[in-house]
Amino acid sequence: MKKIKNREDLERVRKRIVKKSDPNKPCITISSGTCCRAYGCQKVTKAFITEIEKQEIRDKVEVKTTGCLGFCERGPIVVIYPKGIYYQRVTIEDVSEIVTETILNGKIIDRLLYIDPVSGKKFVNGEEISFYKKQMRVLLKNNWLIDPNKIEDYIINGGYTALSNALFKMTPEQIIDTIKRSGLRGRGGAGFPTGVKWENCRRANGDLKFIVCNADEGDPGAYMDRCILEGNPHSIIEGMIIGAYAIGSHEGYIYVRHEYPLAVKNLKIALNQAREYGLLGNNILNSGFDFDIKISIGGGVFVCGESTALIASIEGKIGEPRAKYIHTVEKGLWNKPTNLNNVETWANIPIIINKGSKWFSAIGTEKSKGTKIFSLVGKINNSGLVEVPMGITLKEIVYEIGGGVLNGKKFKAIQTGGPSGGCIPEKLLDLPVDFEKLKETGSMMGSGGMIVIDEETCVVDLAKYFLNFILDESCGKCIPCREGTGRLSEIVERITSGKAKIEDLKLLEELSHVVKDFSLCGLGQTAPNPVLSTINYFRDEWETHIKNKTCPALVCKELIQYYVDNGKCNGCGVCKNLCPQKAILGELKNPHSIVQDRCISCGICHENCKDNAIILSSPRGKN
Amino acid sequence: MGIVTLKVNGIEARVDESWTLLEALRFLGVEIPTLCHHDGLTPYGVCRLCMVEIEEKSGTKLVTSCLYPVKEGIVVKTHTDRVVKGRRMLVELMLARCPNSKTLQDLASKMGIENIRFKMKNEDCILCGLCVRLCKEQMMSGAIGFIGRGEKREVVTPFRTKSEICRNCGACMYVCPVVELPCRGYNPQGELCNSCLRVVPECADEYGQIMCYLESCGSCVKKGEMNELVKT
């Protein structure tokens, strides 16, 4: 590929690509993010290619693999352009039918369409589905249109125009001013104003400066950064080049976790293509500005998402945080001024440069601007990635986009911010989502994980899960985090096994506050949040665990008991055969019984009983 | 060399601008407990005992004084309720991990910790990292280091074998804050000792005569005063 020599050349290349492509040519796009690959989308893609070759229509149809479309619940998703027909849960068996019916005959296959679980309506066009309709897809929009391995797809959709505008029409100060006025705040969780950070880094002393993209996304149940990395890597690269130009840096790093192999692969391809086109490297677009990006792959440590630990990890040291009294913008990577931003923050930059700070700051609330991607998971009908404007209420996210709680169960709480966040109960569902409002509730925005929990989830068990996650991922450097979270987990373990006294709850709260106040880095400082917020909103549930030794949600294994309802049991013997402990006795066609001493409360019998004859009770000791 | 003015517990003081807050506080004679700090080593900030409260416009915040560079006009409070409570909890946590350390037992008595609410473990090391830093920075050796993460963290030689660069200088042992054995108190080893708090020494007619293991804790004088109060 010939290098793009200058600004005019970029527009010529864009026109050439536009001329080559025909917008009316049928195009089959198959979502190929990591989740869809788990559903087998690669086989579907292969099947499409073989089918098209078999039918000899290779010239008439284009097949394209894109990144994640967000509706992970329904993958693999196939969208057929130009009409935009949206097929979900496509398997290899459906492929030949789609090609003959939809592509050749123009008919729509009814059974592959999405049916709204609430209204029962069928949707042909994906954009009209309630899951997408309420969203404001700014960052994720291009995921529908772009093959992440083709830079041409990015250029045709307006890619790198922001870069050429920034390099030739704006001074670094103007760029920083635009970002400042847009009100963009760091999307990694802390919400520090991005423009201010850039300005501090530009002003910091030092001829050598670095910029870093934090792609070490580790919160359980959160994957919005992965989606951008896999589906639209050029948007991050473009953002980073603009940032580097504004700050005066010539070297950048993308720190990706090694659990994201597809993201690393797509990033590498994207970087090479950008270099071939002359958009990265020496003398970018003949502007005289040099910048290149290296990929640094993490070793799988959660705390390396913390900026100072991440920097230590890039330097080849142990990934441990340090105190941030001297900021990384002054002394960061190799003690040089370093500007570190999250994936989503970088992806926002080209959009702000293109559309202007006014457009961006018109979206959102007073202090939180723009859109935010959340990964909506847990006990919800439509799980997936949702991009919403700041200030949308939690209720809209859960009920209008998410389609309500799974299986018609009762909503209990929503956990935001991953292991550092907290639970927000039903009474606060009208809360507008922004950095400050979430913090007021004792939770946080975090990187954007949202886990919906229903009445069958025990908040004590949930707090225990997150606490054990932190305990496992604590680097162990400072005492409150290492010893404190260990002891917190010990106390919670006592509570879930019915051995706790009421003083333990007091101790739990006291210790939580000390861990929060005295820990070295953000990991420890936020570690007790799941405990504190659930105690705050669900104190009676914690107290019931301690006082009555019961788990109201029937989850904590050591506080529940399974027994057989003799009236319902028909003696089919299914449970008896499945029990791993051989704890179920009984003759065929006669009611069975459970030997409590052997039972480990695994619940297999309960799940598999067709007559619902296995009953759960709490506390133990009944029947 | 510039001088900055700060306010410590309500008193204005002028200190060298290149100092850390801990250096300034110790220079001013304020007692701040530390376990991971040593004047000859780079500050590490892991024992968290040196944390103090700093007043800002938006409220107060806790800072690690051994790492915090002094700044003009900061208002420092070293013994607020929040700080003292936290320090006590930290000592309790450390003591529950290493009950056989005299340093920790003394600290506990000094802070008036009278019971440990956690299950006692029997470790020797609080992972303050003094030995690791001393070996690397002053002995120029680097024969020991940390391995493992979180609860599995420990100080070892590479591959747990005898290190080729270790000169058996013993500096690591010298600098270790918890290696000393406790004095024999009332309670068996592995529990909270508190003997200094309980004993009423005969020497306690005058404050200057106290020869107990604690530096100027004054607990015996306090007890003497209490006895007199009871009599009257």
Coordinates of all heavy atoms in Angstrom, one line a residue, chain A residues 69-113:
Chain A
L69 N -21.6 -6.3 18.4 CA -22.8 -5.4 18.1 C -23.5 -5.1 19.5 O -24.4 -4.3 19.5 CB -23.8 -6.0 17.2 CG -23.2 -6.4 15.8 CD1 -24.4 -6.7 14.9 CD2 -22.4 -5.3 15.2
G70 N -23.0 -5.6 20.5 CA -23.5 -5.2 21.8 C -24.6 -6.1 22.4 O -24.7 -6.3 23.6
F71 N -25.4 -6.7 21.5 CA -26.5 -7.5 22.1 C -26.1 -9.0 22.2 O -26.5 -9.9 21.5 CB -27.7 -7.5 21.1 CG -29.0 -7.7 21.7 CD1 -30.2 -7.6 21.0 CD2 -29.2 -8.0 23.1 CE1 -31.5 -7.8 21.6 CE2 -30.4 -8.2 23.7 CZ -31.5 -8.1 22.9
C72 N -25.2 -9.2 23.2 CA -24.5 -10.4 23.3 C -25.4 -11.6 23.7 O -25.1 -12.8 23.4 CB -23.4 -10.3 24.4 SG -22.3 -8.9 24.1
E73 N -26.5 -11.3 24.3 CA -27.5 -12.3 24.6 C -27.9 -13.1 23.4 O -28.3 -14.2 23.4 CB -28.7 -11.5 25.2 CG -29.9 -12.3 25.5 CD -29.9 -12.8 26.9 OE1 -29.2 -12.1 27.7 OE2 -30.4 -13.9 27.2
R74 N -27.9 -12.4 22.2 CA -28.6 -13.0 21.0 C -27.6 -13.4 19.9 O -28.0 -13.5 18.7 CB -29.5 -11.9 20.4 CG -30.6 -11.5 21.3 CD -31.7 -12.5 21.3 NE -32.5 -12.4 22.5 CZ -33.7 -13.1 22.7 NH1 -34.0 -14.0 21.7 NH2 -34.3 -13.0 23.8
G75 N -26.3 -13.5 20.2 CA -25.3 -13.8 19.2 C -25.4 -15.2 18.7 O -26.1 -16.1 19.3
P76 N -24.8 -15.5 17.5 CA -24.2 -14.6 16.6 C -25.3 -13.8 15.8 O -26.3 -14.4 15.5 CB -23.4 -15.5 15.7 CG -23.5 -16.9 16.2 CD -24.6 -16.9 17.1
I77 N -25.0 -12.6 15.6 CA -26.0 -11.7 14.9 C -25.5 -11.5 13.5 O -24.3 -11.2 13.2 CB -26.1 -10.4 15.7 CG1 -26.6 -10.6 17.1 CG2 -27.0 -9.4 14.9 CD1 -26.4 -9.4 18.0
V78 N -26.4 -11.6 12.6 CA -26.1 -11.4 11.1 C -27.0 -10.2 10.7 O -28.2 -10.3 10.8 CB -26.4 -12.6 10.3 CG1 -26.2 -12.3 8.8 CG2 -25.4 -13.8 10.7
V79 N -26.3 -9.2 10.2 CA -27.1 -8.0 9.6 C -26.9 -8.0 8.1 O -25.8 -8.1 7.7 CB -26.7 -6.7 10.3 CG1 -27.6 -5.6 9.8 CG2 -26.7 -6.8 11.8
I80 N -28.0 -7.9 7.4 CA -27.9 -7.9 5.9 C -28.2 -6.5 5.4 O -29.3 -6.0 5.6 CB -28.8 -9.0 5.3 CG1 -28.2 -10.3 5.7 CG2 -28.8 -8.9 3.8 CD1 -29.2 -11.4 5.8
Y81 N -27.2 -5.9 4.8 CA -27.4 -4.6 4.2 C -27.7 -4.7 2.7 O -27.4 -5.8 2.2 CB -26.1 -3.8 4.4 CG -25.9 -3.4 5.9 CD1 -24.9 -4.1 6.6 CD2 -26.6 -2.4 6.5 CE1 -24.7 -3.8 8.0 CE2 -26.4 -2.1 7.8 CZ -25.5 -2.8 8.5 OH -25.3 -2.5 9.9
P82 N -28.2 -3.8 2.0 CA -28.5 -2.4 2.5 C -29.8 -2.2 3.3 O -30.0 -1.2 3.9 CB -28.7 -1.6 1.2 CG -29.2 -2.7 0.2 CD -28.5 -3.9 0.6
K83 N -30.6 -3.3 3.4 CA -31.9 -3.1 4.2 C -31.7 -3.1 5.7 O -32.5 -2.6 6.4 CB -32.9 -4.2 3.8 CG -33.5 -4.0 2.4 CD -34.6 -5.1 2.2 CE -35.2 -4.9 0.8 NZ -35.8 -6.2 0.4
G84 N -30.6 -3.7 6.1 CA -30.4 -3.7 7.6 C -31.2 -4.8 8.3 O -31.7 -4.5 9.4
I85 N -31.4 -5.9 7.6 CA -32.2 -7.0 8.2 C -31.4 -7.6 9.3 O -30.3 -8.0 9.1 CB -32.6 -8.0 7.2 CG1 -33.4 -7.3 6.1 CG2 -33.4 -9.1 7.8 CD1 -33.5 -8.2 4.8
Y86 N -32.0 -7.7 10.5 CA -31.3 -8.1 11.7 C -31.7 -9.6 12.1 O -32.8 -9.8 12.5 CB -31.7 -7.2 12.8 CG -30.9 -7.3 14.1 CD1 -29.8 -6.5 14.3 CD2 -31.4 -8.1 15.1 CE1 -29.1 -6.6 15.5 CE2 -30.7 -8.1 16.3 CZ -29.5 -7.4 16.5 OH -28.8 -7.4 17.7
Y87 N -30.8 -10.5 11.9 CA -31.1 -11.9 12.3 C -30.3 -12.2 13.5 O -29.1 -11.9 13.6 CB -30.7 -12.9 11.1 CG -31.6 -12.8 10.0 CD1 -31.1 -13.1 8.7 CD2 -33.0 -12.6 10.1 CE1 -31.9 -13.1 7.6 CE2 -33.8 -12.6 9.0 CZ -33.3 -12.8 7.8 OH -34.1 -12.8 6.7
Q88 N -30.9 -12.9 14.5 CA -30.2 -13.2 15.7 C -30.1 -14.7 15.9 O -30.9 -15.5 15.3 CB -30.8 -12.5 16.9 CG -32.4 -12.5 16.9 CD -33.0 -13.5 17.8 OE1 -32.5 -13.8 18.8 NE2 -34.1 -14.1 17.3
R89 N -29.2 -15.1 16.7 CA -28.9 -16.5 17.0 C -28.9 -17.4 15.7 O -29.6 -18.4 15.6 CB -30.0 -17.1 18.0 CG -29.7 -16.5 19.4 CD -30.6 -17.1 20.5 NE -30.3 -16.5 21.7 CZ -31.1 -16.5 22.8 NH1 -32.2 -17.1 22.7 NH2 -30.7 -16.0 23.9
V90 N -28.0 -17.0 14.8 CA -27.9 -17.7 13.5 C -27.0 -18.9 13.7 O -25.9 -18.8 14.3 CB -27.4 -16.7 12.5 CG1 -27.2 -17.4 11.1 CG2 -28.3 -15.5 12.3
T91 N -27.4 -20.0 13.2 CA -26.5 -21.2 13.2 C -26.2 -21.6 11.8 O -26.7 -21.0 10.8 CB -27.3 -22.4 13.9 OG1 -28.5 -22.6 13.2 CG2 -27.6 -22.1 15.3
I92 N -25.3 -22.6 11.7 CA -24.8 -23.0 10.3 C -26.0 -23.5 9.5 O -26.0 -23.3 8.3 CB -23.8 -24.1 10.4 CG1 -22.7 -23.8 11.5 CG2 -23.1 -24.4 9.1 CD1 -21.8 -24.9 11.8
E93 N -27.0 -24.1 10.2 CA -28.1 -24.6 9.4 C -28.9 -23.5 8.7 O -29.6 -23.8 7.7 CB -29.0 -25.4 10.4 CG -28.5 -26.8 10.8 CD -27.5 -26.7 11.9 OE1 -27.6 -25.9 12.9 OE2 -26.4 -27.4 11.8
D94 N -28.9 -22.3 9.3 CA -29.7 -21.3 8.7 C -29.0 -20.6 7.5 O -29.7 -19.9 6.7 CB -29.9 -20.1 9.8 CG -30.5 -20.7 11.0 OD1 -31.4 -21.6 10.9 OD2 -30.1 -20.3 12.1
V95 N -27.7 -20.9 7.3 CA -26.9 -20.1 6.3 C -27.5 -20.2 4.9 O -27.7 -19.2 4.3 CB -25.4 -20.6 6.4 CG1 -24.7 -20.0 5.2 CG2 -24.8 -20.0 7.7
S96 N -27.7 -21.5 4.4 CA -28.1 -21.6 3.0 C -29.5 -21.0 2.8 O -29.8 -20.4 1.7 CB -28.1 -23.1 2.6 OG -29.1 -23.8 3.3
E97 N -30.3 -21.1 3.8 CA -31.6 -20.5 3.7 C -31.5 -18.9 3.6 O -32.3 -18.3 2.8 CB -32.5 -20.9 4.9 CG -34.0 -20.6 4.7 CD -34.8 -21.0 5.9 OE1 -34.3 -21.7 6.8 OE2 -35.9 -20.5 6.0
I98 N -30.6 -18.4 4.4 CA -30.5 -16.9 4.4 C -30.0 -16.5 3.0 O -30.5 -15.5 2.4 CB -29.5 -16.4 5.4 CG1 -30.1 -16.6 6.8 CG2 -29.1 -14.9 5.2 CD1 -29.1 -16.3 8.0
V99 N -29.1 -17.2 2.4 CA -28.5 -16.8 1.1 C -29.6 -17.0 0.0 O -29.8 -16.1 -0.7 CB -27.3 -17.7 0.8 CG1 -26.8 -17.4 -0.6 CG2 -26.2 -17.4 1.8
T100 N -30.3 -18.1 0.0 CA -31.3 -18.3 -1.1 C -32.5 -17.4 -0.9 O -32.9 -16.7 -1.8 CB -31.8 -19.7 -1.2 OG1 -31.6 -20.4 0.1 CG2 -31.1 -20.5 -2.3
E101 N -33.0 -17.4 0.4 CA -34.3 -16.6 0.6 C -34.0 -15.1 0.6 O -34.6 -14.4 -0.1 CB -34.9 -17.1 1.9 CG -35.5 -18.5 1.9 CD -36.6 -18.7 0.9 OE1 -37.5 -17.8 0.8 OE2 -36.6 -19.7 0.2
T102 N -33.2 -14.7 1.6 CA -33.0 -13.2 1.8 C -32.2 -12.6 0.7 O -32.6 -11.5 0.2 CB -32.4 -13.0 3.2 OG1 -33.2 -13.8 4.1 CG2 -32.5 -11.5 3.6
I103 N -31.0 -13.1 0.4 CA -30.1 -12.4 -0.5 C -30.7 -12.5 -2.0 O -30.8 -11.5 -2.6 CB -28.7 -13.1 -0.5 CG1 -28.2 -13.0 0.9 CG2 -27.8 -12.4 -1.5 CD1 -27.8 -11.6 1.4
L104 N -31.1 -13.7 -2.4 CA -31.5 -13.9 -3.8 C -32.9 -13.5 -4.0 O -33.3 -12.9 -5.0 CB -31.2 -15.3 -4.2 CG -29.7 -15.7 -4.3 CD1 -29.6 -17.2 -4.7 CD2 -28.9 -14.8 -5.2
N105 N -33.8 -13.9 -3.1 CA -35.2 -13.7 -3.3 C -35.8 -12.5 -2.5 O -36.9 -12.1 -2.7 CB -36.1 -14.9 -2.9 CG -35.7 -16.1 -3.8 OD1 -35.1 -15.9 -4.9 ND2 -35.9 -17.3 -3.3
G106 N -35.0 -11.9 -1.6 CA -35.4 -10.7 -0.9 C -36.5 -11.0 0.1 O -37.2 -10.1 0.5
K107 N -36.6 -12.3 0.5 CA -37.7 -12.6 1.6 C -37.0 -12.5 2.9 O -35.9 -12.8 3.1 CB -38.2 -14.0 1.3 CG -39.3 -14.0 0.2 CD -39.8 -15.4 0.1 CE -40.6 -15.6 -1.2 NZ -40.7 -17.0 -1.5
I108 N -37.9 -12.2 3.9 CA -37.4 -12.2 5.3 C -37.7 -13.5 6.0 O -38.9 -14.0 5.9 CB -38.0 -11.0 6.0 CG1 -37.3 -9.7 5.5 CG2 -37.8 -11.1 7.5 CD1 -38.1 -8.5 5.7
I109 N -36.8 -14.1 6.7 CA -37.0 -15.3 7.4 C -37.5 -15.0 8.8 O -36.8 -14.4 9.6 CB -35.7 -16.2 7.5 CG1 -35.2 -16.4 6.1 CG2 -36.0 -17.5 8.2 CD1 -33.8 -16.9 6.1
D110 N -38.8 -15.3 9.0 CA -39.4 -14.9 10.3 C -38.8 -15.4 11.5 O -38.7 -14.7 12.5 CB -40.9 -15.4 10.2 CG -41.8 -14.1 10.1 OD1 -41.3 -13.1 9.7 OD2 -43.0 -14.3 10.5
R111 N -38.4 -16.7 11.5 CA -38.0 -17.3 12.8 C -36.7 -16.8 13.3 O -36.3 -17.0 14.4 CB -38.0 -18.8 12.6 CG -36.8 -19.3 11.8 CD -36.8 -20.8 11.6 NE -36.2 -21.1 10.3 CZ -34.9 -21.2 10.2 NH1 -34.1 -21.2 11.2 NH2 -34.4 -21.5 9.0
L112 N -35.9 -16.1 12.4 CA -34.6 -15.6 12.9 C -34.7 -14.1 13.4 O -33.7 -13.6 13.9 CB -33.6 -15.6 11.7 CG -33.2 -17.0 11.3 CD1 -32.3 -16.9 10.1 CD2 -32.4 -17.8 12.4
L113 N -35.9 -13.6 13.3 CA -36.0 -12.2 13.7 C -36.1 -12.1 15.3 O -36.5 -13.1 15.9 CB -37.3 -11.6 13.1 CG -37.3 -11.3 11.6 CD1 -38.6 -10.8 11.2 CD2 -36.2 -10.4 11.2

